[in-house]
Structure formats: C-alpha cells, structure tokens
Amino acid sequence: KNNLYDKYKTFATNPLLLTIMLMTFAEGAEIPENFNDFYEQAFIALYKAHDASKGAYIRDKAAKLGSTDFKLIFSYVCFKSYFASKYEFNESEILDYIAKAKAKCKIVDEFKPEDFLKDLTDSVCMLVWEGLTLRFTHRSFQEYFAAYYTTQLDDQTQEKLIRSWLYDSYFARSSEFLNMLNRMEPDRFEKNILYPGLKEIKKACKDIDRIEILKLFFNQIALVDEERFDILLSINNNYFFTIHSFLRKKMKEKKLLTNRRTGTKETNALYLKLLEKGYKPIKKSEIMEINVDDIIEDQDLKEVLKLEFSDIFSVFDFGMDLLEKWENTSISNKRKLSSILEDL
C-alpha cells in the first residue's frame, strides 16, 4: 500500500504500536481504512491474545472481566482523564481513576483496581510504564475510548458537556476526539453538537452585516514577516469556530469548498494591502497583531478583508441552510424514540 505508512506513521514508527498493528492485521486480515474501526479491532486483538511469541497462548486477565465490562471501565477512565487534560499518571492517580470507574459503571463482577491496572499494562497494553509514570500507549487510544464513553451519555448531558468544553478549550478543535465522536454517531453529533451551535451562531448574527460575521469567529489577524508571508487568525470564540470547522469539513466532503488562500504574494491580496498601508513586522520572524476593528475603519482594507475571507461567508451560509433544513424536519423531535431508548 503506497499510503499505509503515511496514514499510520505515528504507529508504524513505534515498535510496540507497530506490533499492535500487526496483531490487528492478523486478527482481521486487513488494516481498516476507518480509524475508529482500527482502534476497535486493535482493542479486540489485544484483549484476546497479548503474547504473540507463545502462539495460541491467551494470557489470563487478573481482573477476570469480560471484554465488554473491561472496555466500559477503561473508557470511563479515558473519559474522565481526557476532560481533565490528564495524559500521564503515577500509580495512585490511575488507581483512583479505576476505583471511580468501578463505582460509576456498576460492573456486576467484582475486581480490584490493582488487578485492572495490571491488565491494562501487562495484557491489553493500553498503558505503559516510563519509570514511575504511566502513559497511554498512544494518545489516540485515550481519545477514542473517551469518545466511546461520551456516546453512552444522554443527549442533554452530551450537549452541555461538549458545549462547555468547546467554549473553554482552545485546542478542542484540533483534537481527534470530536472526529471520532462524529464517526461513531453522526446523527447524534449533528443533533447534540452542530445543531445547538448553529442556533447560537444564528442568534448572535441577527441583523448584522458580513464584516460582523467575521468578527464572530476571529477578532485579530496576525501578520507574519515577509519571509513566511502569511496571515494567521486570532480566534474570538472557540465554540463558534469549532462549529465552523466541522461545517467546512462537510462542505469539502461535498466538494462545495476548496482552499483558496495559499500564502503567496501573488494571491494574498490582504497581506499586500496591509503592507501598502504601513502594517509591517519590524523584525524577521516577528508577528504583528492587528485588530479587525482597526482594519475595517479603512474602506479599502475592509473590502479586501471581506474578499480574502469570503469562504467564511460560504461556510456560514451553508450552516444557516442546514439549520433551516433541520428545523423544518424537526431534528429535535425526529429522534425522540431513540433518545428514550438510550435512557432505558
């Protein structure tokens, strides 16, 4: 496969993770194209048989849990630690997470947190010791299982959790967690994340012009020195911008949007116009931040700004069309039965 290494590069360059890939391949005779399927199959392969050097030997699990219960406990640990931005642990910290998961998930079979930890490190290899510190074998395992546990939440709880997190976390939109959650339950993702977000954006945009729409998403631009020749955005609202990013992905999937900005002198009219107006970083590698309000006071700059970021308007219009479609089809009422069943 010409692209297999590139796609799984962070796995293939690590001996332990590469072994996990080989075990997954041995189990299913393929490497899944969908990352969610890969993580699920990797977990199944690891839970069934860890020690490949002993052929068909299946290592006994110290906690004596079935794979379903084990996955639920581990996913809660990942969920709680992920939203706490906790990516490494000492032994007492991880045992505390496991104990809380045991109490929360109400597993029928009794087990000791110490035994569960032994399985995590020795049999299933989701965590590895580095000196006295425990880390996830790969951060994406934490994201995947955190997303899995998030699917177990009811709609109202899921919506409130994600909205609060997106408002507070600058790095949320760059996380794979949301992509994984979207792939797991695309309909609920639309209902609980995109739909409420679009309603808030629509409310914030009532009776304002195009330039004000830009200011919903970013309030400053950063002018990078001429060697790099680029413009960066200073995000104004993390929540709105993440919703915008997912709408952009949807448009790209439908081939309704292409990247127009290339960061070159020939195409970046806004950069050239700002230089013409006297905005210029003084030193090499310096970044000059400019408030959007300052730019729009100059009519020439305002028009170039609107043109340069016209794709934001395209994404905004696409989102408003989707919102109208969802409201016309009663997205919040359409899935009442499924929501009821999830709570039972």
Side-chain angles (χ1 to χ4, degrees), residues 335-344:
R335 304 186 183 102
K336 277 187 175 179
L337 176 60
S338 63
S339 297
I340 292 170
L341 289 173
E342 287 169 9
D343 292 337
L344 295 179

Side-chain angles (χ1 to χ4, degrees), residues 13 101 123 166 251 290 328:
T13 53
S123 295
L166 293 181
M251 290 186 72
I290 311 167
N328 289 339

Side-chain angles (χ1 to χ4, degrees), residues 156-339:
Q156 186 177 24
T157 303
Q158 189 183 100
E159 178 188 332
K160 287 182 178 179
L161 170 74
I162 301 300
R163 183 198 292 123
S164 177
W165 178 58
L166 293 181
Y167 265 119
D168 292 341
S169 175
Y170 178 80
F171 298 103
R173 64 184 174 275
S174 62
S175 165
E176 266 302 300
F177 166 84
L178 286 174
N179 292 322
M180 292 172 173
L181 187 62
N182 184 29
R183 288 192 292 263
M184 286 179 187
E185 293 185 330
D187 287 345
R188 286 189 76 204
F189 190 87
E190 284 187 358
K191 176 186 175 183
N192 298 336
I193 287 86
L194 294 185
Y195 179 62
L198 283 171
K199 286 200 296 183
E200 287 200 33
I201 290 173
K202 181 180 180 180
K203 183 179 179 180
C205 286
K206 190 174 182 179
D207 299 327
I208 61 177
D209 64 18
R210 286 305 215 196
I211 205 70
E212 294 297 322
I213 290 173
L214 287 181
K215 289 168 63 178
L216 277 181
F217 301 106
F218 64 95
N219 54 12
Q220 286 184 330
I221 65 170
L223 195 64
V224 185
D225 68 85
E226 289 188 75
E227 184 173 301
R228 285 178 56 189
F229 202 88
D230 200 5
I231 287 177
L232 307 176
L233 305 181
S234 178
I235 306 305
N236 185 36
N237 186 308
N238 290 324
Y239 181 46
F240 287 176
F241 202 85
T242 302
I243 300 299
H244 172 275
S245 297
F246 270 89
L247 293 174
R248 177 184 286 274
K249 288 179 185 177
K250 278 182 170 288
M251 290 186 72
K252 286 186 176 180
E253 289 169 2
K254 296 175 180 289
K255 301 189 184 305
L256 298 175
L257 189 70
T258 57
N259 282 329
R260 186 176 60 81
R261 298 180 70 245
T262 61
T264 64
K265 292 188 178 182
E266 290 74 19
T267 59
N268 200 329
L270 179 59
Y271 196 110
L272 290 173
K273 182 61 71 173
L274 286 167
L275 291 180
E276 181 185 311
K277 296 285 183 175
Y279 293 98
K280 184 177 181 180
I282 299 173
K283 299 177 182 178
K284 182 178 178 181
S285 301
E286 188 177 76
I287 293 177
M288 181 179 190
E289 293 184 344
I290 311 167
N291 288 328
V292 172
D293 284 332
D294 293 336
I295 294 176
I296 62 179
E297 288 180 359
D298 185 306
Q299 189 60 35
D300 290 341
L301 285 175
K302 180 178 178 179
E303 293 307 314
V304 176
L305 178 71
K306 288 165 66 175
L307 179 63
E308 188 67 24
F309 294 102
S310 60
D311 57 335
I312 288 182
F313 306 136
S314 299
V315 175
F316 173 82
D317 292 338
F318 176 76
M320 292 303 103
D321 289 343
L322 269 184
L323 180 60
E324 183 178 357
K325 173 186 172 184
W326 289 338
E327 288 176 336
N328 289 339
T329 56
S330 302
I331 188 171
S332 58
N333 296 321
K334 184 179 179 181
R335 304 186 183 102
K336 277 187 175 179
L337 176 60
S338 63
S339 297

